[in-house]
Amino acid sequence: MAKRKATALDVAKRAGVSRSAVSLVLNGRAQGNVTAERQERVLRAAAELDYTPNSVALSLRNQQTSTIGVITDDIVTSPFAGRLISGASRTALTRGYMLFVIDSEHDVSRESTAAQQLVHRQVDGIMYATGSLREVTTPTTMRTLPAILANCTDAASPFRSVIPAEVDGGRAAAQLLIDLGHRRITLLTGTLSSPAAPQREQGYREAMEAAGLGREQQRVHPTGWDIDDGYRAASAVLGGEDRPTAIICSNDRVATGVLLFAASAGLRVPQDLSVVGYDDQQHVAANLVPALTTVALPHAEIGETAMSMLLDEVEGKAPEAEKDEGEILLVPCRVITRASTGAPPSS
């Protein structure tokens, strides 16, 4: 026969306290209501009996389901932005919440349906997350619950956003090369349809200006986001006599294309050319030859931070000063130095 599951009454009997005392202790409301000694007895009895509270009954009493809905575009299948969901999930689990993750595949109508379904399922809050930084239009249904945006912004909504500090990332990439002695530094921007591209360019230009390298010495080349874009861009910018000694790429895939062209042109990396990527794409950046110096997008930290902020709001723990509508929190991007960068060649 299956062993009978222990009840709160069993815990109360073993601890020698009332059932209400057990409820207060296990629901986190013992402070000021139950003595420390009795709290210890309850916790010890619960552990000895392997007692766990009935989550359904607890949800009914608290009018919460301990679930959070997550609406994404293509994060689940993304090669590196999935770290965002992992970070959010870890934070939620440590605080006793489960996630419902719905991937819309960039279908606006599916997003609207997902938001409605999550509200009907009585989730306690919703996180709306994107695989790449962009401006979004969130479903209006989300406004009926606590909600937060991760890796995106919505100027027309009251939601707070957690996004990467892209200007700082672009500045840090350029500063690394400047500190190594480079002055002829080309930035491959990526398409300007992404808000990340102009922000990284701004950081690059700020670092160059601070180093005394004005507009006439700044080299910005519009590029796409894929390997063949990097190959074509490298062919264009490395073809002249005054070629750059370093290239900052719009992402690690573009950097891969630059490395391939450099190899075909007989250029040694980093002896003849230093290359910096962006993203720190898993299974790519560290495994290239040479291993790629890159700016790591903080996807996991964005997920963790956004989920923590959302749960604080759900639980009423967020100070009023931290709940400003439309607030944008920037998460730092860090440079990971590997073998693809070094001092410029001696002239």
Side-chain angles (χ1 to χ4, degrees), residues 203-323:
Y204 161 84
R205 291 192 184 278
E206 289 177 0
M208 297 288 280
E209 291 281 354
L213 301 169
R215 284 270 173 169
E216 69 283 357
Q217 294 168 284
Q218 297 169 19
R219 305 163 182 237
V220 176
H221 187 88
T223 313
W225 302 98
D226 294 316
I227 293 175
D228 55 347
D229 294 319
Y231 192 95
R232 285 193 297 269
S235 174
V237 303
L238 293 171
E241 292 184 3
D242 188 34
R243 69 187 184 208
T245 61
I247 295 179
I248 302 170
C249 302
S250 54
N251 62 20
D252 294 343
R253 294 189 298 278
V254 168
T256 301
V258 171
L259 291 175
L260 289 172
F261 177 82
S264 70
L267 294 173
R268 300 167 301 163
V269 176
Q271 293 90 341
D272 302 319
L273 176 71
S274 285
V275 180
V276 178
Y278 215 105
D279 291 347
D280 192 31
Q281 185 169 339
Q282 193 173 14
H283 307 310
V284 175
N287 295 321
L288 289 171
V289 179
L292 183 65
T293 293
T294 187
V295 180
L297 278 173
H299 285 114
E301 292 87 348
I302 289 172
E304 292 166 359
T305 302
M307 184 56 63
S308 181
M309 291 170 64
L310 176 58
L311 295 181
D312 282 349
E313 183 176 352
V314 167
E315 297 172 358
K317 296 179 180 178
E320 289 301 320
E322 295 181 8
K323 295 193 292 186

Side-chain angles (χ1 to χ4, degrees), residues 48-71:
E48 291 171 352
L49 294 171
D50 195 23
Y51 171 75
T52 54
N54 185 311
S55 59
V56 175
L58 186 61
S59 295
L60 291 173
R61 287 197 298 271
N62 295 342
Q63 294 187 324
Q64 290 186 326
T65 60
S66 295
T67 56
I68 297 294
V70 180
I71 300 174

Side-chain angles (χ1 to χ4, degrees), residues 13-224:
K13 288 179 178 179
R14 175 165 292 205
V17 300
S18 67
R19 190 188 181 287
S20 61
V22 172
S23 178
L24 289 169
V25 172
L26 298 182
N27 291 337
R29 294 183 287 118
Q31 189 67 33
N33 295 309
V34 182
T35 66
E37 187 269 336
R38 288 192 174 191
Q39 290 182 48
E40 176 62 28
R41 279 158 46 192
V42 169
L43 294 173
R44 185 168 57 249
E48 291 171 352
L49 294 171
D50 195 23
Y51 171 75
T52 54
N54 185 311
S55 59
V56 175
L58 186 61
S59 295
L60 291 173
R61 287 197 298 271
N62 295 342
Q63 294 187 324
Q64 290 186 326
T65 60
S66 295
T67 56
I68 297 294
V70 180
I71 300 174
T72 82
D73 46 17
D74 58 1
I75 286 181
V76 175
T77 56
S78 168
F80 53 91
R83 298 172 185 170
L84 193 155
I85 297 300
S86 296
S89 179
R90 283 194 301 271
T91 299
L93 286 173
T94 59
R95 293 178 60 166
Y97 289 79
M98 296 290 291
L99 301 187
F100 288 136
V101 181
I102 301 176
D103 196 323
S104 71
E105 299 179 3
H106 295 276
D107 186 326
V108 175
S109 63
R110 188 179 298 181
E111 288 182 356
S112 179
T113 300
Q116 292 173 4
Q117 290 177 343
L118 291 170
V119 170
H120 290 157
R121 289 179 181 273
Q122 297 182 307
V123 296
D124 298 325
I126 295 177
M127 185 176 82
Y128 185 104
T130 58
S132 57
L133 180 64
R134 62 186 179 93
E135 177 76 17
V136 300
T137 301
T138 52
T140 55
T141 312
M142 284 176 52
R143 302 190 185 192
T144 62
L145 291 174
I148 199 161
L149 309 183
N151 208 34
C152 56
T153 59
D154 181 358
S157 83
F159 305 132
R160 294 173 296 164
S161 300
V162 182
I163 64 175
E166 296 282 15
V167 175
D168 290 347
R171 186 188 301 111
Q175 192 62 54
L176 168 72
L177 295 168
I178 291 168
D179 290 344
L180 287 170
H182 292 274
R183 294 297 180 266
R184 301 199 306 273
I185 304 170
T186 292
L187 172 69
L188 305 183
T189 61
T191 54
L192 296 180
S193 59
S194 164
Q199 291 181 35
R200 295 173 189 176
E201 180 179 339
Q202 177 185 338
Y204 161 84
R205 291 192 184 278
E206 289 177 0
M208 297 288 280
E209 291 281 354
L213 301 169
R215 284 270 173 169
E216 69 283 357
Q217 294 168 284
Q218 297 169 19
R219 305 163 182 237
V220 176
H221 187 88
T223 313

